[in-house]
Amino acid sequence: MGFRCGIVGLPNVGKSTIFNALAAAAAEVASYPFCTIEPNVGIVPVPDGRLDVLAHLTKPKKVTPTTLEFFDIAGLVKGASRGEGLGNQFLAHVRGVDAIAHVVRCFADSDIAHIYSTIDPRRDVEVVNTELILADLETVDRRMEKQGRLLRLGEKEAEEEFHLLKGIKETLEGGGRADELLKTVGKSLPSDLQLLTAKPSFYVANVGDEAGDAQNNYLKDLMDLAQTEGIPVVVIAGRLEAEIAQLEQEEREEFRQELGLKDSGLERLIKVGYEILSLITFFTTVNLDLRAWTVPGGTPAPQAAGKIHSDMERGFIKAEVIPFEDFTSCGSEQAARERGVLKSEGKDYLVQDGDIVHFRFHV
């Protein structure tokens, strides 16, 4: 699994259309609030040209790419943190994702003019972000109450978390995000505490069919805001990409070339997602099975092996590693061995992006 991404935003800004574009799945799309009640879930292979190159060289019987899981979640409205609209359902679904893609409408559409009389990306962003902050404040208050009770009972282990929560609360009350405080103090949240504003996020600018329209002032407004916040933006012509996604693969590429689109919205989104989550991909070729795996950058070899199977981490002996460039220049594992570019690495080795790895283990 690459990562889990929640698609969020106000109702009818094109979340389900974007989902269709990314996952090539026919999710229901309609111009009225709360069309998406239960989340649409899509699992898509992560495009990686290196996998194609390796498949050409190794001639495997099976090729398995890493995957990306999308959750298209019910629209968030003002008051969602207090249960307005489908707020509670929305918040429950989004807490389990790794990253949040915040869809913002940057196009005019007469079909939904009865819902939004004006187009204002900054206003829309503020509504969603405010509700996420308010929801996190409620979560932090409950957790602080619990840790406070433990402190009064003499549980000194609760002291550090209590002070961290206090700092987060002050940040949230000032309109900031939890991840801002966590980065400042160099701390991470307990694994069982899922705060929405602690998750890496980026904006998805849903534009009209003219994806490259330089005169789109709505997009410019969102770009300016994102630059101030230091948050990436992925620009997707949602409706157009959703239509392309329904075509056969060969037709998709031809259509994109005609439109002058270098890559798909999915590829751009994956690139940003991997960057904000600091993810890398390594490859294994075992029993004629070529497979891609995703781990955070800086993952030691035993933990990378554990991504495949816990026994491999527990019984880790060494990792035999060939960088992608060396493998492709040699043409095979045997040739890589003969040229001395295959290296045996121990438990302290940090797996690099593009490594072809064979883990040796014993249990």
Side-chain angles (χ1 to χ4, degrees):
M1 180 69 68
F3 64 96
R4 293 156 58 92
C5 184
I7 302 175
V8 307
L10 294 176
N12 300 105
V13 295
K15 297 187 310 306
S16 294
T17 302
I18 293 292
F19 176 87
N20 287 339
L22 299 174
E28 184 180 6
V29 179
S31 298
Y32 50 87
F34 313 126
C35 169
T36 307
I37 297 176
E38 292 299 321
N40 293 307
V41 181
I43 300 177
V44 298
V46 172
D48 193 325
R50 296 172 300 183
L51 199 61
D52 298 330
V53 172
L54 292 174
H56 176 73
L57 292 173
T58 62
K59 304 295 190 295
K61 290 184 177 179
K62 183 179 180 182
V63 178
T64 306
T66 188
T67 58
L68 172 59
E69 190 169 6
F70 287 109
F71 291 80
D72 172 28
I73 301 163
L76 187 64
V77 298
K78 188 174 183 179
S81 59
R82 302 186 303 274
E84 294 294 330
L86 296 173
N88 289 336
Q89 292 184 45
F90 163 86
L91 297 173
H93 292 310
V94 79
R95 288 192 187 279
V97 301
D98 300 310
I100 295 177
H102 182 169
V103 178
V104 183
R105 183 166 72 109
C106 295
F107 65 94
D109 189 342
S110 58
D111 290 340
I112 55 177
H114 63 289
I115 301 172
Y116 303 108
S117 57
T118 60
I119 304 169
D120 188 341
R122 287 179 179 267
R123 173 204 60 201
D124 296 352
V125 165
E126 184 178 0
V127 170
V128 172
N129 287 346
T130 297
E131 293 306 320
L132 297 181
I133 288 171
L134 291 173
D136 277 354
L137 270 172
E138 183 179 343
T139 300
V140 168
D141 281 339
R142 289 199 304 267
R143 186 76 167 215
M144 287 183 69
E145 184 178 346
K146 174 185 175 182
Q147 296 302 313
R149 287 197 303 268
L150 293 175
L151 273 175
R152 289 191 293 273
L153 292 172
E155 297 284 347
K156 297 214 178 270
E157 293 80 4
E159 184 174 358
E160 183 177 354
E161 183 178 323
F162 183 85
H163 287 297
L164 177 62
L165 292 169
K166 183 178 179 182
I168 292 174
K169 180 176 180 178
E170 291 172 355
T171 299
L172 294 171
E173 289 177 335
R177 294 171 50 89
D179 58 358
E180 297 171 8
L181 186 279
L182 294 170
K183 290 175 184 176
T184 300
V185 300
K187 300 283 187 180
S188 57
L189 291 174
S191 59
D192 63 337
L193 181 59
Q194 296 283 347
L195 294 183
L196 302 168
T197 62
K199 296 181 182 296
S201 64
F202 56 97
Y203 294 123
V204 176
N206 188 14
V207 299
D209 292 348
E210 299 79 16
D213 186 1
Q215 305 303 314
N216 188 331
N217 290 323
Y218 308 125
L219 177 58
K220 182 180 183 302
D221 204 19
L222 179 62
M223 289 290 196
D224 291 342
L225 174 63
Q227 184 175 14
T228 301
E229 297 178 337
I231 295 178
V233 178
V234 178
V235 181
I236 298 179
R239 186 157 51 190
L240 178 61
E241 291 254 14
E243 292 173 358
I244 294 175
Q246 300 305 313
L247 302 175
E248 295 297 327
Q249 183 63 38
E250 188 174 325
E251 294 177 313
R252 293 182 199 176
E253 299 305 322
E254 292 178 359
F255 198 14
R256 287 198 181 98
Q257 288 179 10
E258 292 177 6
L259 296 172
L261 299 174
K262 295 181 179 180
D263 50 16
S264 67
L266 173 64
E267 291 170 312
R268 296 193 297 276
L269 186 145
I270 287 173
K271 181 179 179 181
V272 169
Y274 269 60
E275 288 174 354
I276 66 174
L277 291 169
S278 300
L279 299 176
I280 63 169
T281 301
F282 71 91
F283 305 95
T284 57
T285 54
V286 179
N287 298 326
L288 294 179
D289 182 3
L290 171 62
R291 188 180 292 258
W293 306 89
T294 300
V295 294
T299 298
Q303 282 68 57
K307 178 80 173 182
I308 302 172
H309 197 285
S310 59
D311 283 350
M312 297 178 71
E313 180 177 358
R314 183 162 55 89
F316 177 86
I317 299 174
K318 65 179 179 179
E320 296 179 343
V321 181
I322 310 172
F324 175 77
E325 292 77 10
D326 290 336
F327 191 100
T328 53
S329 65
C330 293
S332 69
E333 181 179 327
Q334 182 60 36
R337 286 181 182 275
E338 293 171 355
R339 296 187 191 181
V341 297
L342 182 151
K343 304 295 184 183
S344 291
E345 304 287 356
K347 63 180 181 180
D348 294 330
Y349 178 72
L350 304 181
V351 175
Q352 303 298 304
D353 187 50
D355 279 351
I356 293 88
V357 188
H358 184 80
F359 294 105
R360 300 293 184 180
F361 68 103
H362 177 75
V363 290

